[in-house]
Amino acid sequence: MTAQALEGRELACVIGLEVHVQLETDTKVFCGCSTESVNGEEPNTRTCPVCLGLPGALPVLNEAAVESAVKVGKALSADVVAETTFHRKNYYYPDLPKNFQITQYDAPICADGHLEVSVEGDTREIGIERAHLEEDPGSLRHVRDGTRPLENRTVSVDRADYTLVDYNRAGTPLMEIVTRPDFRSPQETRAFLAKLEEVLEYLGVFDASRDGSLRVDANISMVPAEEVDDDGSIATETLEAANRTEVKNISSHKGAEKALAYEVTRQKNAIKRGRSVEQETRHWDESRGITVSMRSKEEEKDYRYFREADLPALRVAHWRDEIAIPELPDARRDRFQSAYGLDAESASKLTSTKEVADFYEHLAETFDPDLAATWVADTLLGELNYRDMHITDVSDRLDEVERLVELVATEEITAKNARETVLRTMLDEGTAPDEVVEAEGLGKTDEATIETFVEEAVEENPDAVADYENGEGGALNFLVGQVMQKSKGSADPGTVNQLLRERLE
């Protein structure tokens, strides 16, 4: 669509995503090379003749990768096709040792799915056009020459003096999930990617901690806003007439939103100046927050797809019924609300990851569900977030957190001391909860001792007592604070309040 056709009209963006997800398997998709820590090993040490594309080496399909793909298809409510085939996608790039990528073309393993996402309370269904299996290329490191150590000289592709290739990642099983052009804002893409990653982690087929485990290519076009219906749909002829720009090298939810927000502004500014938006591929430079032109946009014909002769047709439709998938995040949120009486916000926090949800359910079996929810959703996650930690960072110490909740539930220590002293010491110093309680003298103060502290507080603060007798409510809070200070926070605030009222009245 020319700049003249768009000039002077209100514009709307149309976005579609190609999400590349590394599947969590022990070995690569077509060979026996290990996928463990492929991003942390010395370059080019996790390789063999198959993943290096050496002459005569033949691929053998990894069954676990196929099983993972079927699970993804079921979770996305997609059709698992009766028969799927592999093709060669031909192009030359340094990280592709065979000069072609084994992928799926006109018969993807999954098609016609969807995923619901919510943005600011508005829920929309994003269509999944296809999801197919393929092999990951190697990885490139773009380097600027200089005297600094190599790892400190990695730069964006347009600023590099040379590029190094590491084939450790080549052949890692990859699933490409292609959405329909259903996004109407960068914020929606961020919400979708977060939701997709959540689903994939629940399935157990994805490890977000791996470098490069999720990478996104985004296609974005500008169209007249009046041609977008209230439900977000756009006529096919409008979509086909729009010039489409592809943005590559996006590796996070936040990065997708930032890259697309930049691209929306860039394209709108170009159209305002009377320039047409080029149909091209652009590189997202996260360090500078801009997109950079790489090359003209490839078309399907440029890849010269043809059947992979070394791999037979794959028939997996019957697996759809045979392969089970776990309870997914949305269903688990609904169950937490109905079974445990949680509000929507708490249920959402507690199902943010499968590890958090599993830990909450473990606690809720022993303790009051509301107490367990408060400790996991608010206290534990809050302290972890403050330290830029995740629950997986303390997965080997969750029994200690359970013990801490037990100390609170049995009223052996106060919730305040448990939160502000015991938990924080546990996270910062690695100390067990009972050791912190003993070292800090945090055992709960008995009622007789509290009565002594109450008597002392009343005698030491006659002005506060007079204020209370004159009807100033804040005076009682002051006296409660004095007693709590004397008990070093180990007295129960409710008991202190009650004893003070009895003493003063």
Side-chain angles (χ1 to χ4, degrees), residues 60-371:
V60 177
L61 183 58
N62 185 334
E63 182 178 347
V66 179
E67 183 175 338
S68 295
V70 174
K71 288 181 178 180
V72 174
K74 292 184 69 170
L76 297 177
S77 301
D79 296 330
V80 177
V81 300
E83 181 176 293
T84 181
T85 55
F86 287 91
H87 284 71
R88 294 184 179 184
K89 181 179 181 181
N90 294 272
Y91 65 95
Y92 174 76
Y93 208 59
D95 60 3
L96 197 68
K98 298 189 293 286
N99 293 337
F100 64 84
Q101 179 188 34
I102 300 178
T103 182
Q104 294 179 313
Y105 176 46
D106 54 2
I109 192 167
C110 306
D112 295 328
H114 65 267
L115 188 67
E116 285 190 350
V117 298
S118 295
V119 179
E120 298 179 353
D122 181 26
T123 300
R124 294 191 60 232
E125 186 177 281
I126 303 299
I128 307 295
E129 183 175 308
R130 57 184 285 149
H132 61 263
L133 271 172
E134 60 187 22
E135 59 181 338
D136 211 354
S139 55
L140 302 178
R141 183 181 298 180
H142 306 293
V143 181
R144 194 176 188 85
D145 205 359
T147 57
R148 291 176 293 170
L150 181 63
E151 58 270 18
N152 296 327
R153 289 187 277 126
T154 302
V155 296
S156 61
V157 61
D158 60 308
R159 302 170 63 196
D161 293 316
Y162 58 89
T163 297
L164 301 174
V165 187
D166 179 8
Y167 290 121
N168 278 348
R169 197 177 71 187
T172 299
L174 202 66
M175 193 161 195
E176 181 175 340
I177 300 170
V178 182
T179 77
R180 294 194 170 92
D182 289 346
F183 301 98
R184 300 295 173 260
S185 72
Q187 293 76 22
E188 287 182 354
T189 65
R190 181 174 183 174
F192 172 85
L193 291 170
K195 178 69 171 291
L196 177 63
E197 187 171 301
E198 189 178 74
V199 169
L200 294 169
E201 288 185 322
Y202 264 71
L203 292 173
V205 303
F206 173 73
D207 180 4
S209 65
R210 281 190 174 185
D211 184 34
S213 60
L214 186 145
R215 306 188 298 278
V216 181
D217 298 338
N219 293 286
I220 179 168
S221 309
M222 305 306 299
V223 299
E226 67 266 20
E227 296 189 25
V228 181
D229 294 337
D230 292 339
D231 63 357
S233 60
I234 301 174
T236 302
E237 54 268 23
T238 300
L239 291 174
E240 291 176 347
N243 281 0
R244 185 161 47 106
T245 298
E246 181 181 38
V247 181
K248 285 184 171 289
N249 193 44
I250 303 172
S251 58
S252 67
H253 316 158
K254 185 178 179 181
E257 184 178 15
K258 290 175 64 177
L260 290 167
Y262 173 87
E263 192 60 20
V264 166
T265 301
R266 186 191 72 83
Q267 293 191 20
K268 284 184 175 180
N269 288 340
I271 292 167
K272 284 179 183 177
R273 295 183 176 93
R275 300 199 304 269
S276 295
V277 175
E278 297 295 327
Q279 187 150 314
E280 61 178 343
T281 296
R282 299 181 68 85
H283 169 85
W284 167 240
D285 186 339
E286 191 163 6
S287 63
R288 291 187 288 171
I290 63 173
T291 63
V292 180
S293 180
M294 293 176 63
R295 56 184 180 269
S296 60
K297 180 81 175 76
E298 299 97 335
E299 297 181 17
E300 205 171 80
K301 62 183 181 182
D302 296 327
Y303 292 120
R304 305 186 317 281
Y305 285 96
F306 61 85
R307 277 287 308 275
E308 170 55 76
D310 295 329
L311 290 169
L314 183 64
R315 298 175 180 88
V316 294
H318 61 288
W319 279 21
R320 182 177 179 85
D321 298 325
E322 294 176 3
I323 294 176
I325 63 173
E327 185 180 36
L328 296 177
D330 286 347
R332 204 165 193 184
R333 267 178 215 118
D334 292 342
R335 182 168 62 81
F336 276 19
Q337 292 182 69
S338 60
Y340 300 115
L342 303 180
D343 57 60
E345 182 179 357
S346 295
S348 180
K349 287 181 180 179
L350 290 169
T351 53
S352 57
T353 70
K354 188 175 183 299
E355 290 82 4
V356 170
D358 288 345
F359 182 53
Y360 168 73
E361 289 222 81
H362 176 70
L363 288 182
E365 290 176 0
T366 306
F367 307 109
D368 176 76
D370 287 336
L371 175 66

Side-chain angles (χ1 to χ4, degrees), residues 20-94:
H20 305 265
V21 177
Q22 282 187 358
L23 297 177
E24 185 74 0
T25 58
D26 293 334
T27 57
K28 295 182 179 181
V29 65
F30 297 122
C31 69
C33 290
S34 173
T35 58
E36 184 181 357
S37 303
V38 293
N39 296 301
E41 297 291 326
E42 286 295 315
N44 302 307
T45 56
R46 298 270 186 174
T47 59
C48 73
V50 174
C51 55
L52 288 176
L54 299 183
L58 297 176
V60 177
L61 183 58
N62 185 334
E63 182 178 347
V66 179
E67 183 175 338
S68 295
V70 174
K71 288 181 178 180
V72 174
K74 292 184 69 170
L76 297 177
S77 301
D79 296 330
V80 177
V81 300
E83 181 176 293
T84 181
T85 55
F86 287 91
H87 284 71
R88 294 184 179 184
K89 181 179 181 181
N90 294 272
Y91 65 95
Y92 174 76
Y93 208 59

Side-chain angles (χ1 to χ4, degrees), residues 416-486:
K416 182 175 185 294
N417 279 340
R419 180 180 63 255
E420 296 182 1
T421 303
V422 182
L423 179 59
R424 292 174 183 175
T425 303
M426 287 171 59
L427 294 176
D428 293 338
E429 301 178 14
T431 313
D434 288 299
E435 293 177 7
V436 180
V437 171
E438 183 177 355
E440 299 291 335
L442 299 178
K444 200 165 185 181
T445 306
D446 60 67
E447 190 167 324
T449 305
I450 296 175
E451 288 177 350
T452 301
F453 291 151
V454 166
E455 193 65 34
E456 292 175 358
V458 169
E459 292 177 358
E460 293 169 3
N461 298 281
D463 291 342
V465 173
D467 289 341
Y468 176 79
E469 292 173 345
N470 290 329
E472 294 186 20
L476 182 64
N477 292 335
F478 172 79
L479 291 169
V480 170
Q482 294 302 301
V483 176
M484 295 301 294
Q485 187 175 6
K486 289 176 178 292

